[in-house]
Amino acid sequence: MTRLVLIRFALAVPILLGVSVAAFALMRLLPGDFAQAAAGSANVSTEMLEKVRRDLGLDQPIWVQYLAWLGDALRGDFGTSFVTRRPVTSEIGGRLGVTFELTALAALMAMVMGGLTGLASARFRGHTDWIVRLWNGLMLAIPNFVVGTLIVLLAGLYFPQIRIFYFVPFTEDPLGSIGSLLLPAFALSLAVSVTVSENTRAAVLEVASQDFVMVARAKGLRPRTVLRNYLVRNALTPVITVTGLQIAQLLGGSILIETIFAIPGMGQYLFDSITSRDYPVIQAIVLTTAAVVVLVNVLVDIAYIRADARVEG
Amino acid sequence: MSDTDFVTDDDAPLPQRRKAANGDRWMVGLGLAMLALMLILTLLGPLIAPYDPSMTSPNSLAPASAQHWLGTDSIGRDILSRLIIGGRTTLLITVVAVCLALAAGLVLGLTAGYIGGAVDQVIMRVLDVIFAFPVFLLAIAVVAALGPTVPNLILTIAIVYTPILARVVRAPVLSVKSWDHVEAARSVGVSEFRLVTRHILPLAISPILVQVSLTLANTIFTVTALSFLGLGPPPPDPNWGGMLAEARQFMELAPLTVIAPAGAIVFATLTFIVLANGLREMLDVAGKR
């Protein structure tokens, strides 16, 4: 078991290295002069550009630059923002928590909604099944930024008493903070809930056809007991796994949702940084997000091994 | 809560299954019909659009009327015309990008799956790196780096969706290549290229078709979402995501300015999802995992 866990982590290392190369190359090889962007404007003197270039180490060979950048990044130093001239790490720090809260809330909602609809469609089949699948198809077709925009529109038209554009930091008021993120998290969770729902349905149907469930029913356990103790329990593992694997989609979607609902998270910051061409910030956000996705996938993998005795390394 | 028992797949009588298959063929038909409608509207765009999409008029934020079926936007441009013309750009980017991604995915997936060994490892590990990024984050970063022009958008989306297509191509090739008919063909001297394209690929085509359809739906999302953030095709060309973003300021005054592009985006995505689901069930591709 321990060996297996170590192997999974070891396999993630080359991917993380590749991710860092991509994040670095993306911003350093782009058309236009990195030093010019760093200096902040197009019309700076040649001496000034030379100085910036020396300070940032841009006169070194590209692989030396990469190693230096990676070394700093590993120590938690992502350089200085071109716009605010403050360390990128401190700028991102607080926002990371906001995005984490939003995605965690959305993941939870997706699990509950997807789990319930998936269970219902497997349990009742027939009409319920059709309605759930129709709903799922529709929800899959409505992109999260459209859901977000429509929520804002509906609230503005019919429910002016609902406050939309406000955010309460978690540290100030945990409950109020969750309340302020409910609508954005809902918009973010819909598409993911479809994946969860479809997988729950498949998992419940698969478990229901197993012999031990037949035995349980044959020995006269009440259907409700069978449902709770046998079906839901065994179907829970794939559901959690699937939700974990959707982390990339949630993080990608949070960029749009945070922009729409004016939530001061990483996604909104990324959007602002792209507008202002703040390359160190873009690099840092791209790298941390990809790293989080890789690590969550490894954790999901390990959780799956732990939970399911049938999976062998 | 009723206490009906679970109906498992084993219990389903055969006729019911055949009925389900017919229903799914109907779904593919529906998907194709929606696709045809969309293609006709966009291909004939300039001919059927009632107005010039960039023509402004003092009649701004007008509700739906006989002159403007879907009303006008904040500077008096006809929304229906902008939807039709905007669909051209969105669909052009989507279709060309997915074709490129499919071509790259076929080449990489077939090579990796058929040759195997070290080549397979190298190709798949490099694709794993791209796979590690959230698609939308990667798309934003690449477009931001290259600049939002139509060719760059196409290139970006092709890069972003190549890994998933390569994976879907590779998996069935791995098993099909060791089947007897391939061995038989090889023994009579069929060339490697012909072996892969004629004897292996046709047997691996079902999951590829389904994935292409899903990728088209995802691409509509990515293109419109990028445009929504202002990283879409540059103005003055209208595009659905951009229209939605522009309309947000005035949406309470003229809800149609938001609902119309939202409806277009949903319709386009739904088309490809219906098609993918129909194909999946008709071709009996396992949809799980």
Side-chain angles (χ1 to χ4, degrees), chain A residues 22-309:
Chain A
F24 177 79
L26 209 57
M27 292 301 134
R28 283 296 163 93
L29 302 178
L30 83 181
D33 194 340
F34 192 76
Q36 213 159 56
S41 83
N43 39 12
V44 271
S45 64
T46 335
E47 301 88 68
M48 185 67 191
L49 272 184
E50 279 309 311
K51 190 183 171 302
V52 170
R53 216 165 257 144
R54 255 198 322 280
D55 289 350
L56 291 173
L58 293 178
D59 46 355
Q60 311 268 341
I62 190 84
W63 60 272
V64 175
Q65 291 181 39
Y66 165 71
L67 288 180
W69 174 77
L70 183 64
D72 286 346
L74 285 177
R75 271 178 263 120
D77 173 11
F78 287 103
T80 315
S81 159
F82 287 172
V83 175
T84 59
R85 305 281 164 198
R86 293 214 310 237
V88 174
T89 313
S90 64
E91 298 271 318
I92 288 182
R95 293 165 178 273
L96 197 64
V98 176
T99 299
F100 175 77
E101 192 190 339
L102 175 66
T103 43
L105 200 59
L108 200 68
M109 282 178 160
M111 261 197 274
V112 173
M113 282 192 295
L116 288 180
T117 53
L119 191 63
S121 90
R123 176 94 170 90
F124 302 117
R125 305 294 293 267
H127 289 302
T128 316
D129 196 13
W130 258 103
I131 293 169
V132 168
R133 290 179 73 182
L134 207 65
W135 166 260
N136 280 348
L138 204 62
M139 284 307 111
L140 210 56
I142 307 186
N144 48 33
F145 65 96
V146 175
V147 177
T149 310
L150 290 181
I151 286 179
V152 174
L153 173 67
L154 285 180
L157 282 181
Y158 301 111
F159 306 100
Q161 66 273 29
I162 298 183
R163 284 169 71 202
I164 300 270
F165 302 110
Y166 78 111
F167 172 73
V168 184
F170 191 75
T171 41
E172 275 175 26
D173 174 10
L175 272 182
S177 173
I178 289 173
S180 71
L181 287 179
L182 275 183
L183 282 177
F186 175 72
L188 189 55
S189 69
L190 276 179
V192 176
S193 83
V194 174
T195 317
V196 176
S197 173
E198 282 171 354
N199 280 277
T200 309
R201 180 175 175 277
V204 171
L205 284 179
E206 200 195 311
V207 176
S209 67
Q210 305 269 320
D211 289 344
F212 71 90
V213 176
M214 204 171 70
V215 171
R217 254 189 250 136
K219 76 177 179 186
L221 284 185
R222 288 172 53 214
R224 202 167 299 166
T225 320
V226 176
L227 181 72
R228 197 179 52 231
N229 292 353
Y230 289 72
L231 297 177
V232 172
R233 226 175 177 189
N234 281 292
L236 213 55
T237 322
V239 171
I240 292 171
T241 316
V242 164
T243 314
L245 292 177
Q246 295 298 310
I247 181 82
Q249 204 192 336
L250 286 173
L251 284 173
S254 71
I255 303 168
L256 290 155
I257 294 297
E258 285 173 11
T259 310
I260 293 173
F261 287 91
I263 299 165
M266 279 236 286
Q268 195 203 39
Y269 193 33
L270 176 69
F271 176 66
D272 292 345
S273 310
I274 285 171
T275 317
S276 59
R277 309 207 137 232
D278 197 346
Y279 295 125
V281 176
I282 304 176
Q283 246 173 357
I285 293 180
V286 168
L287 185 65
T288 35
T289 313
V292 168
V293 171
V294 172
L295 290 178
V296 168
N297 284 351
V298 172
L299 291 179
V300 167
D301 237 21
I302 292 170
Y304 189 63
I305 299 171
R306 279 192 69 100
D308 194 340

Side-chain angles (χ1 to χ4, degrees), chain B residues 113-264:
Chain B
Y114 184 70
I115 299 179
V119 176
D120 184 23
Q121 284 299 315
V122 171
I123 292 178
M124 295 325 283
R125 291 301 81 78
V126 171
L127 292 181
D128 276 351
V129 171
I130 305 183
F131 216 65
F133 290 96
V135 167
F136 190 59
L137 178 78
L138 186 61
I140 286 190
V142 177
V143 173
L146 296 176
T149 62
V150 172
N152 285 346
L153 281 166
I154 291 176
L155 184 70
T156 304
I157 287 163
I159 295 175
V160 170
Y161 287 111
T162 296
I164 180 81
L165 285 163
R167 277 191 185 187
V168 171
V169 172
R170 172 181 170 267
V173 170
L174 278 179
S175 67
V176 173
K177 72 172 177 183
S178 60
W179 287 5
D180 288 344
H181 77 280
V182 177
E183 194 54 43
R186 189 180 288 127
S187 70
V188 296
V190 172
S191 75
E192 300 271 307
F193 182 75
R194 204 182 153 79
L195 210 57
V196 172
T197 51
R198 289 296 175 83
H199 297 265
I200 295 179
L201 189 56
L203 287 161
I205 206 79
S206 302
I208 301 176
L209 279 180
V210 174
Q211 188 58 50
V212 165
S213 203
L214 278 179
T215 306
L216 283 166
N218 290 335
T219 306
I220 297 273
F221 168 83
T222 309
V223 175
T224 49
L226 284 171
S227 325
F228 183 79
L229 289 182
L231 292 169
D237 276 0
N239 65 74
W240 295 344
M243 288 171 71
L244 190 63
E246 278 169 29
R248 288 201 297 150
Q249 280 173 283
F250 312 101
M251 58 186 168
E252 281 158 41
L253 297 172
L256 211 50
T257 54
V258 164
I259 291 168

Side-chain angles (χ1 to χ4, degrees), chain A residues 195 198-199 202, chain B residues 210 214 277 280-281 284-289:
Chain A
T195 317
E198 282 171 354
N199 280 277
Chain B
V210 174
L214 278 179
N277 277 342
R280 177 184 294 156
E281 312 250 327
D284 199 22
V285 176
K288 299 141 215 167
R289 304 249 164 106

